[in-house]
Amino acid sequence: MRSVRRCSRTGCANPAVATLTYAYAESTAVVGPLATYSEPHSYDLCEEHAVRLTAPRGWDVVRHQGEFAAPEPTVDDLTALAEAVREAGRADRPVELPEISTSRRGHLRVLPDPHED
């Protein structure tokens, strides 16, 4: 399952709901609904930053009218989640436990150095 895309603004951990793209030739900043895929020359923004965005002097801002909706999970996301849960719950799934010899000293354990043979 894909992770939730976050706002590109420094220090903001809110989920992204809009995409900012600059059209340099037209001196325009375009804020629209969240793009399907994250592009290298665009920025994901949360609702607060998408609404409050200002552009440099002489630039225009073209902004999506209406509410920015959080993206809905896709069928691929739900299928991936179901498969992960199914795989984790399989009884016949092999479980590999590392062979570690330990000795106890009170509440502490001493583990051997993994680099020593």
Side-chain angles (χ1 to χ4, degrees), residues 11-93:
C12 183
N14 293 325
V17 296
T19 297
L20 166 64
T21 306
Y22 291 107
Y24 294 99
E26 290 84 27
S27 300
T28 304
V30 180
V31 180
L34 187 63
T36 306
Y37 298 101
S38 181
E39 297 290 332
H41 300 290
S42 63
Y43 304 90
D44 294 338
L45 299 175
C46 65
E47 185 169 12
E48 178 183 356
H49 289 121
V51 172
R52 292 180 31 200
L53 177 89
T54 59
R57 184 173 295 156
W59 281 57
D60 295 318
V61 177
V62 176
R63 196 179 321 264
H64 168 74
Q65 295 299 316
E67 293 184 16
F68 292 105
E72 295 292 322
T74 65
V75 173
D76 292 339
D77 291 339
L78 296 176
T79 302
L81 177 60
E83 289 175 3
V85 169
R86 190 177 307 119
E87 180 67 25
R90 280 186 33 212
D92 63 339
R93 188 178 80 170

Side-chain angles (χ1 to χ4, degrees), residues 103-110:
S103 60
R104 289 187 59 80
R105 294 184 185 164
H107 66 284
L108 300 176
R109 279 200 250 174
V110 178

